Amino acid sequence: MDRVDYQSLVIQDLNNLHKADELDLSPWYQRRSVWAPAQKSYLINTIFEQKPIPALYIRHSLDLEKSKSVKEIVDGQQRTRTMLSYCNDEFSAKHPEHSNQSVKFSQLTKAQQQKFLLTSIPIGYLLGATDSDVIDIFGRINSVSKSLNGQEKRNAAYSGEMKQLCLRQASSRVSFWRNCNVFTANDIARMGEVQFVSDLIYSLINGLSSYSTANLDNMYKMYDESFPQMDVINNQLDFVFDFAASINPNKISDTVFNRQPIFFSLLYVIHTKQPLTIKKVEKAIIEIDERFNSDTNKSPEDIEFYTACSATTQGIASRRIRHSYILSFM
């Protein structure tokens, strides 16, 4: 292969190429289109929000029999199909200028349609690529999923209302995570804070529960296309996090409460025990931290709490012990 030449095409260009039969969306090594409706809608919403999307990789070749050039989609088939099918009014997507209601292409204003069609899509042209080059590149691009953690896999697999709620709640609180020192930069880079929010949402829906990868996977799947409780859960999260953000961040960052499992328990207590005052919560945090770090005069309850913070911290038994203990100081 000679090189990769990065350029761009607007969505209307892709539409024109497809209508002219100059876009090969089904090369023999590609998967069939398998995106769920929620994934399609999420991509279109991403374009509406003017957020970046991954580049398409295209091998440009000539069909000598038909005397025309052909652009073969090496990577990005499903993204391309999604953009084309939206232009054909085949599904709807949420638009920020329509009160985030789902709309089809035909329901956009003329100005909105034009803006969508003129959206620039990054293209990587594989120049001089042989079939062997293409297979190697396709394999390299798609091998990244082998190293994804559980939350990154959920993020890749789902695009609907549950994923969007978790991402929105987690990403809007970056300053909070940093101030409280609950998550490291690497945790955030690997979506640890999104998984934390997902886990909290699961307990808000189902009552205090164990952490379980399978439970979170099922929750994302169940509420991918529709999450009727979204507004209620969103408001509950806003209240809990806004309350926690009013606590002196040093009371969390400099105490045992900067540990994710214990911080989770604090948030769940804030959710269940109201009314509370910031002063009362800060006093409780200090007292609990002092008892936790004390080597003497530990009560049976102190010892039980210490144990619940030190082993199998994500199980329901440990979570119930921590919840009851913290609650007793409120």
Side-chain angles (χ1 to χ4, degrees), residues 116-318:
F116 177 78
L117 293 172
L118 291 177
T119 299
S120 182
I121 306 299
I123 307 290
Y125 286 106
L126 309 180
L127 303 181
T130 65
D131 283 351
S132 296
D133 292 329
V134 167
I135 295 302
D136 179 60
I137 292 167
F138 182 74
R140 288 172 184 269
I141 291 172
N142 289 281
S143 66
V144 66
S145 60
K146 294 178 182 178
S147 62
L148 298 182
N149 62 35
Q151 185 56 44
E152 289 167 331
K153 289 177 181 177
R154 278 188 288 275
N155 189 62
Y158 301 103
S159 301
E161 295 197 342
M162 178 55 68
K163 167 184 168 174
Q164 293 181 50
L165 173 62
C166 295
L167 281 175
R168 185 169 61 251
Q169 281 287 340
S171 63
S172 66
R173 308 192 188 281
V174 172
S175 296
F176 176 68
W177 306 132
R178 289 175 176 167
N179 291 339
C180 294
N181 198 31
V182 175
F183 297 98
T184 66
N186 187 62
D187 289 336
I188 293 174
R190 299 303 304 274
M191 305 191 78
E193 86 288 15
V194 182
Q195 178 166 286
F196 181 90
V197 169
S198 303
D199 190 19
L200 182 58
I201 289 175
Y202 187 88
S203 283
L204 293 181
I205 295 172
N206 299 285
L208 189 60
S209 307
S210 296
Y211 167 78
S212 164
T213 296
N215 285 345
L216 296 189
D217 289 346
N218 290 334
M219 180 179 74
Y220 270 62
K221 182 177 181 180
M222 180 181 299
Y223 298 119
D224 194 41
E225 293 195 20
S226 175
F227 181 33
Q229 295 173 262
M230 180 182 285
D231 289 342
V232 172
I233 297 299
N234 188 65
N235 290 338
Q236 290 176 346
L237 289 169
D238 283 345
F239 174 81
V240 168
F241 282 118
D242 288 348
F243 188 100
S246 298
I247 299 170
N248 183 335
N250 293 334
K251 296 291 190 292
I252 297 173
S253 64
D254 298 342
T255 67
V256 68
F257 285 90
N258 71 1
R259 300 186 186 185
Q260 293 172 29
I262 307 175
F263 184 61
F264 178 99
S265 295
L266 175 64
L267 294 181
Y268 198 76
V269 166
I270 292 171
H271 164 67
T272 56
K273 176 65 174 176
Q274 287 297 329
L276 282 173
T277 65
I278 299 298
K279 184 177 180 179
K280 177 176 283 190
V281 173
E282 289 184 346
K283 181 180 178 181
I285 288 173
I286 293 170
E287 187 171 353
I288 291 170
D289 184 64
E290 288 175 349
R291 293 193 182 201
F292 184 88
N293 291 299
S294 174
D295 294 328
T296 59
N297 300 322
K298 272 188 164 66
S299 69
E301 292 78 16
D302 295 337
I303 294 170
E304 188 178 41
F305 176 73
Y306 185 92
T307 302
C309 295
S310 306
T312 58
T313 54
Q314 304 285 37
I316 186 59
S318 293

Side-chain angles (χ1 to χ4, degrees), residues 16-60:
N16 294 341
L17 289 168
H18 183 58
K19 290 176 180 178
D21 198 28
E22 294 180 7
L23 198 62
D24 183 2
L25 292 170
S26 303
W28 56 274
Y29 50 84
Q30 271 275 20
R31 297 174 294 175
R32 291 177 296 170
S33 181
V34 293
W35 269 14
Q39 291 173 292
K40 296 178 181 179
S41 297
Y42 188 64
L43 176 72
I44 301 304
N45 175 257
T46 300
I47 295 173
F48 287 153
E49 297 277 1
Q50 296 184 296
K51 303 289 176 63
I53 66 171
L56 307 179
Y57 286 89
I58 291 177
R59 176 167 65 166
H60 198 173

Side-chain angles (χ1 to χ4, degrees), residues 70-112:
V70 175
K71 292 179 173 60
E72 176 186 295
I73 304 293
V74 174
D75 186 75
Q77 174 216 114
Q78 295 177 79
R79 275 168 274 144
T80 305
R81 287 183 184 275
T82 294
M83 290 182 281
L84 296 175
S85 60
Y86 185 73
C87 292
N88 290 333
D89 244 22
E90 295 176 17
F91 65 94
S92 58
K94 291 183 178 180
H95 194 291
E97 294 176 14
H98 288 258
S99 302
N100 269 323
Q101 297 297 309
S102 291
V103 291
K104 290 187 174 182
F105 182 77
S106 62
Q107 295 173 301
L108 300 175
T109 66
K110 295 298 183 184
Q112 290 166 349

